[in-house]
Amino acid sequence: MALSWVFKKQLKIFIFLAVILFAIVGGVIYYFRPAPSCFDNKLNQNEERIDCGGECEACVIDPKNLIVSWARPFEVTPGIYDAAALIENPNLYYGSQEIEYTFLLYSDNVLIASKDGKTFLNPREKFMIFESGILTKERFATRATIEIKEVKWKKFDKERANILVSSKTFDNAPNGLVKVVLRNQTLFSIKNVFVAVILNDSAGNAIGVSTSKINEISAEMTKDVYFTWRSPIQLASSTEVYLRTNLTE
């Protein structure tokens, strides 16, 4: 049955209005779309790869390797050790949500114990990896190494937490006590702050290490953090403090 003239006219008007509405909605979506950036996980603005090259920072095809400054065992009691390693990530924008590592403890050249662990890796940071309670079955550990598995690199741009180490003091009585005062210089609370302390002798060798996790530092407030040791620590010539918050979450 042939369409009536009135129905044809109504259909044309409906199609016309639908096209206009579609154009308006599409225009609004296009106008308010997020501007392309170097951190949008999209290949745009003449980028060579996602978020690198073109308008962005040069692509890191071969990220620089992590730098292990040192790795050492620390005897807690006979047969029980802590192990620590000072690590540096030299890559400015690249880190990883998780890296896996293994501490290896040796008596001379004989492997006597190992322990696996995981941590996050922020871009451009120097930090300490620490594992406690490594059993050596009464054998004396003379050295330690750390093996880090292949890193799955990813670009991050999260701003670092603005936390200041206001002061740090060391008292060697009775077994060694370090007090670190942290100050949150922002207008919001900062959660999950990881603090590492390294005591060095006059030659710059680490003679004591410890770590602590602070659940929260309130806005514009200070937080006192204390570190103690079970065994006596000789007078330290210097104290290093390293702070971390997870920028990869």
Side-chain angles (χ1 to χ4, degrees), residues 71-73 81 105-110 112 139-144:
R72 293 197 178 112
Y81 283 81
L105 272 59
Y106 296 86
S107 180
D108 295 325
N109 291 321
V110 178
I112 59 175
R139 288 175 288 186
F140 183 72
T142 56
R143 66 185 182 93

Side-chain angles (χ1 to χ4, degrees), residues 11-237:
L11 182 61
K12 289 180 180 179
I13 294 174
F14 175 79
I15 294 174
F16 176 77
L17 293 176
V19 170
I20 295 297
L21 180 61
F22 179 80
I24 292 173
V25 172
V28 170
I29 293 174
Y30 180 82
Y31 182 80
F32 288 102
R33 77 192 189 286
S37 75
C38 297
F39 302 96
D40 56 11
N41 289 318
K42 295 180 180 179
L43 184 64
N44 48 31
Q45 54 183 358
N46 298 321
E47 295 169 353
E48 297 174 18
R49 298 167 64 188
I50 293 177
D51 291 343
C52 70
E55 301 291 328
C56 303
E57 189 77 17
C59 292
V60 179
I61 299 175
D62 295 313
K64 297 178 182 178
N65 293 328
L66 298 180
I67 301 169
V68 180
S69 297
W70 52 259
R72 293 197 178 112
F74 297 88
E75 186 179 41
V76 180
T77 60
I80 302 178
Y81 283 81
D82 295 338
L86 188 62
I87 311 293
E88 182 178 357
N89 176 13
N91 297 288
L92 186 59
Y93 296 108
Y94 288 83
S96 181
Q97 291 179 318
E98 182 179 271
I99 60 171
E100 299 179 1
Y101 57 83
T102 301
F103 274 110
L104 303 171
L105 272 59
Y106 296 86
S107 180
D108 295 325
N109 291 321
V110 178
L111 179 64
I112 59 175
S114 65
K115 189 169 185 179
D116 298 328
K118 299 178 181 179
T119 188
F120 56 89
L121 178 64
N122 291 327
R124 195 64 177 178
E125 74 164 346
K126 197 171 187 178
F127 63 102
M128 189 180 77
I129 293 178
F130 177 83
E131 289 291 339
S132 62
I134 304 176
L135 304 179
T136 63
K137 298 180 180 179
E138 304 299 324
R139 288 175 288 186
F140 183 72
T142 56
R143 66 185 182 93
T145 62
I146 186 171
E147 295 181 352
I148 299 175
K149 296 184 179 180
E150 183 178 359
V151 179
K152 296 180 180 178
W153 296 101
K154 186 178 179 181
K155 193 172 185 178
F156 298 98
D157 70 330
K158 192 173 181 180
E159 186 176 349
R160 296 183 185 277
N162 191 0
I163 305 173
L164 174 69
V165 178
S166 297
S167 66
K168 52 185 179 181
T169 56
F170 171 75
D171 185 351
N172 67 331
N175 290 340
L177 170 67
V178 171
K179 177 184 177 182
V180 177
V181 180
L182 305 178
R183 179 172 181 80
N184 178 358
Q185 301 193 105
T186 70
L187 298 176
F188 52 87
S189 295
I190 300 176
K191 297 182 178 181
N192 300 325
V193 181
F194 298 87
V195 189
V197 164
I198 302 173
L199 301 179
N200 298 314
D201 62 17
S202 58
N205 298 313
I207 56 176
V209 296
S210 188
T211 61
S212 182
K213 179 184 176 183
I214 309 304
N215 292 329
E216 184 175 5
I217 306 177
S218 300
E220 297 185 304
M221 298 298 290
T222 60
K223 186 77 172 181
D224 296 345
V225 191
Y226 294 90
F227 301 86
T228 59
W229 285 263
R230 293 184 183 179
S231 303
I233 298 288
Q234 67 189 72
L235 184 61
S237 295

